[in-house]
Amino acid sequence: MKLQHKSRTLNRRRFLAGAAALGSTGVLLRQVEATEGNLSHQHHQATARPVLSTAPQSLLDRIDPKPTQPPGEPGKDYTPVITPNNVSLAWKVVNGIKVYHLIAEEVEHQFAPGLHARCWGFNGRVHGPTIEAVEGDRVRVYVTNKLPGATSVHWHGLLLPNGMDGVAGLTQAVIKPGATFRYEFTLRQHGTFMYHSHHDEMTQMALGAMGLFVIHPRKPKAERPDRDFAFMLAEWRLDVGTSRPNPNEMTDFNIFTFNAKAFPATAPMAVRLGERVRIRLANVAAMSHHPIHLHGYQFRVTETDGGQIPLSAQQRETSVLVAIGQSRTIEFVADEPGDWAMHCHMTHHVMNQMGDKFPNMIGVKAAEVDAQVRRLLPDYMTMGHDGMAEHGIHLDTGHMKVPENSIPMRGGPGPFDYITMGGLLTVLKVREELDDDRAPGWYQHPKGTVASTATVAELQRDGIKV
């Protein structure tokens, strides 16, 4: 990448030299600018060099450029992002620099009603609040460590000076308990990124020490969204009846979350019919990739963590794979009203505390077994012989007791029936009218647009025998 930039810089200089000799520099400058703009938008994001500048830059100026524009302002320079079940981190401007303060600490967190845990997060939240800024902003982030052990913070995906990268032991010393470190750099790109602990990652990330870092473009090349949602995907091992996520787990995770919430606790996305919607998805889970599927829509994948995808290369999809360590951004116009599910398409990722240490009961005729066992245990009931769909209903109605602080196989009530999903599930609510102060209720379907029991007359009319 650097070699390509050097080559193009030399070419531009040759152009300028030739243009000066011919007395037509202005024309050629515009030609060169247009050519470079078509060559690589991502390259300009990476270098952040003024297109028309011919002044040589020092190495320090290139890796840690000073801001040339005032700090970006919400509403004026960007549409603030919405992080469902979370907030954006407050900031202030000091001498032209945006100043933030993260406090790493232990947090009592609720994944969903009935399931609490003692996690590690930032500023009283799991995950930490979303950092928002604008391309070209200079940011100063103070990190105070109130954890029992040392930590550090890595700015995942950001282009910055090496000493600000946050890898404990490699690019900085650890932040000891009680200490506060200062990170400072100029944002040279835009997109969806993350921050997370980079000391004893296995433990600290498993306990939740991470957050989103959204950088808005200074000069957007695409139309701004009306709604800009951001989600962090994560997985946890929380054994039934315990309250501390297990960082030693390597493969068998049993809680999957959007912004550290499992359905039915995930806050829905509410949008007006016709609005332009952007959804940012970032994944720093320990072991799982997530194919996120949105019902009812085709969307365009507009950004990766490497930058904006040219319009000509954007694909229409209904699912997007968000691999570990990656982010993906999708966009669409909300032109279909309704309550639309958005979920991971790995089926075990839409279950809460799914267990696998029990026999396969599908097809077992349980009536005789139940009758025999109930002589000793009057409340006994075999589960799983016709599927696990009823498990959550039995829990919610109190027919079945479960260990304290657990939500095994629990889903949530829906407008028609019980929703037999949990974990990585949320809902996109598209309405003609919307009260921004509260999420709308269930969608009221127009008559004749809901699947229902077929009548005898309908079956006879169409020649269907059942």
Side-chain angles (χ1 to χ4, degrees), residues 102-125:
L102 286 174
I103 302 172
E105 57 190 349
E106 187 164 286
V107 179
E108 290 287 340
H109 178 66
Q110 184 189 70
F111 289 102
L115 186 63
H116 297 256
R118 298 175 68 187
C119 300
W120 288 4
F122 295 91
N123 299 53
R125 293 181 174 277

Side-chain angles (χ1 to χ4, degrees), residues 25 78 117 142 151 160 169 173 193 239 264 285 287 295 298 324 350 382 387 394 418:
T25 308
Y78 63 92
Y142 290 99
T151 190
L160 37 61
F193 308 99
D239 291 312
M287 298 296 290
H295 289 215
Q298 292 179 330
I324 299 169
V350 286
T382 298
H394 286 300
Y418 194 81

